[in-house]
Amino acid sequence: MIAIYPGSFDPITLGHLDLIQRGSRLFNKVIVAVLRNPNKMPLFSVQQRIEQIRLSTAHLPNVEVDSFDGLTVNYAQMQQAQVLIRGLRAVSDFEVELQMAHTNKTLSTQIETVFLATSNEYSFLSSSVVKEIARFGGSIDHLVPPHVALDIYQCYAHQQTVSNPIKTETTQNLRNLPMETPMETFPEWEV
Ligand code: PNS
């Protein structure tokens, strides 16, 4: 049975990795699918996130990494998957996730959503929490794989050291942002 684990993964955390590892023991193949979402302003480009996930899951032979746009169920059908994996951390997740599972069921009766309870030690963890801690100089070494921590530290270190940024191509490259990202989106960068 093939399972899709869809998400933003901006960036992948140890909580995500825990779910991928456990999912890989339950299904023949798990495809971690990064949503290409034009409405979100990510810290990392889709390609960077794919690389981060590939490195994090290199030890799992039945895990693949891909990106997709549009509806998750369409992507799942295209991959001939039967299952969507989603993690549940708390009751607050349940409400949102149940609505998403019901919505997906109306779009395709062939795809089942399987919820995995997040391991206790990661029940508080999200990509947003990681970014917030790093942004204010805290340690995230216990929350993300080491190479991801490095990527994040680099992003925010550049943000702090470049105190008077000129809105140039070079400056945007420093932050590892997609080139199309308008600088106006980052008020803290305004001089
Ligand atoms: O990591 P996230 O941001 O919680 O993942 C959310 C995701 C990508 C699984 C969800 O937004 C999604 O499936 N988007 C694709 C569009 C879609 O299929 N919408 C219908 C279900 S609500």
Side-chain angles (χ1 to χ4, degrees):
M1 199 176 272
I2 300 174
I4 307 288
Y5 180 30
S8 306
F9 305 105
D10 185 40
I12 183 170
T13 68
L14 292 182
H16 293 131
L17 195 53
D18 172 56
L19 283 189
I20 296 168
Q21 269 161 348
R22 287 161 56 208
S24 74
R25 291 198 286 270
L26 294 173
F27 302 102
N28 301 98
K29 181 158 96 174
V30 173
I31 303 173
V32 183
V34 180
L35 176 67
R36 289 196 296 270
N37 188 348
N39 300 323
K40 273 197 179 176
M41 182 59 61
L43 183 61
F44 294 107
S45 71
V46 169
Q47 199 48 46
Q48 284 174 313
R49 282 177 271 163
I50 287 177
E51 285 307 315
Q52 289 168 343
I53 301 168
R54 283 213 176 111
L55 267 177
S56 311
T57 58
H59 60 295
L60 302 169
N62 65 335
V63 172
E64 290 178 11
V65 190
D66 194 11
S67 64
F68 74 105
D69 50 24
L71 293 175
T72 302
V73 289
N74 289 350
Y75 175 75
Q77 272 160 355
M78 197 261 287
Q79 290 287 0
Q80 296 180 325
Q82 297 83 12
V83 166
L84 299 180
I85 299 175
R86 292 291 291 170
L88 286 180
R89 289 165 299 191
V91 180
S92 50
D93 276 350
F94 182 76
E95 222 172 294
V96 177
E97 294 296 334
L98 191 67
Q99 186 188 21
M100 206 187 303
H102 284 157
T103 307
N104 283 332
K105 200 69 183 179
T106 66
L107 298 170
S108 169
T109 52
Q110 307 301 309
I111 311 285
E112 293 293 341
T113 300
V114 170
F115 294 117
L116 294 182
T118 305
S119 295
N120 226 2
E121 69 250 54
Y122 304 126
S123 58
F124 66 96
L125 185 52
S126 69
S127 300
S128 311
V129 160
V130 167
K131 284 180 280 192
E132 180 155 320
I133 295 171
R135 188 170 175 216
F136 293 112
S139 169
I140 49 167
D141 295 343
H142 57 306
L143 305 177
V144 294
H147 61 278
V148 177
L150 213 62
D151 288 347
I152 299 171
Y153 288 136
Q154 273 173 0
C155 268
Y156 288 113
H158 283 306
Q159 196 175 342
Q160 277 163 14
T161 51
V162 184
S163 57
N164 188 10
I166 304 161
K167 295 175 184 181
T168 62
E169 194 174 302
T170 316
T171 310
Q172 285 206 337
N173 276 337
L174 282 174
R175 295 198 67 210
N176 288 328
L177 289 167
M179 284 309 298
E180 65 272 18
T181 306
M183 292 303 293
E184 288 71 20
T185 325
F186 301 94
E188 74 270 27
W189 272 57
E190 295 299 321
V191 285

